[in-house]
Amino acid sequence: MVIDLVATLLFESEEKIQNAEIAVQSGKWADSIYHAYASMINTAKAVLIDAEIKTNTQTGIVSDFDKEFVDKGTIPLATSFSALVNQIKDSEPTAEFAEKYLADARSFYQTIYELRSKELTYDL
């Protein structure tokens, strides 16, 4: 049996988004922000692994994702991945930020999911 590590990581990213949604609904802003952050890191890690780029740390994942995909225009983001993910450093865990950060995590995941779906379709 072969396990698709990339698909598994993306599935885990979806679960983390669901956990963030549950936390928002429960008024647990910090928990929601944590799960949204973990989802974005996990999603970026999946893409890096798919491209056969080694991942070791969260900081490395963020910088490598920008260097390999955002800076080269391969993955279109409105800002750098670093700026997207690191909003967490400059924001208080409020309802407004938790909801915005969750929306950012959903959007990032959806972008990757759609790009991966196209790649898999073309590979067939």
Side-chain angles (χ1 to χ4, degrees), residues 16-33:
K16 292 174 190 315
I17 288 172
Q18 290 170 356
N19 290 338
E21 290 168 346
I22 292 166
V24 161
Q25 293 166 1
S26 301
K28 298 178 180 177
W29 317 130
D31 288 352
S32 176
I33 293 163

Side-chain angles (χ1 to χ4, degrees), residues 3 6-7 12 14 18 20-21 27 33 36 40-43 51 54 56 58 69 77 83-84 91 108 113-114:
I3 296 174
V6 174
E12 289 174 356
E14 284 183 62
Q18 290 170 356
E21 290 168 346
I33 293 163
M40 287 189 276
I41 294 295
N42 216 53
T43 300
K54 291 182 182 180
N56 294 320
Q58 291 179 0
F69 302 107
L77 297 180
L84 180 70
S91 301
F108 178 67
Y113 181 83
E114 288 171 7

Side-chain angles (χ1 to χ4, degrees), residues 9-79:
L9 286 168
L10 291 174
F11 177 74
E12 289 174 356
S13 293
E14 284 183 62
E15 287 181 328
K16 292 174 190 315
I17 288 172
Q18 290 170 356
N19 290 338
E21 290 168 346
I22 292 166
V24 161
Q25 293 166 1
S26 301
K28 298 178 180 177
W29 317 130
D31 288 352
S32 176
I33 293 163
Y34 168 77
H35 291 301
Y37 172 85
S39 172
M40 287 189 276
I41 294 295
N42 216 53
T43 300
K45 180 178 180 176
V47 175
L48 288 165
I49 287 172
D50 194 35
E52 299 180 3
I53 298 167
K54 291 182 182 180
T55 61
N56 294 320
T57 65
Q58 291 179 0
T59 302
I61 290 168
V62 172
S63 65
D64 288 346
F65 190 87
D66 272 335
K67 182 174 72 176
E68 296 295 329
F69 302 107
V70 178
D71 295 348
K72 294 178 181 177
T74 311
I75 295 179
L77 297 180
T79 185

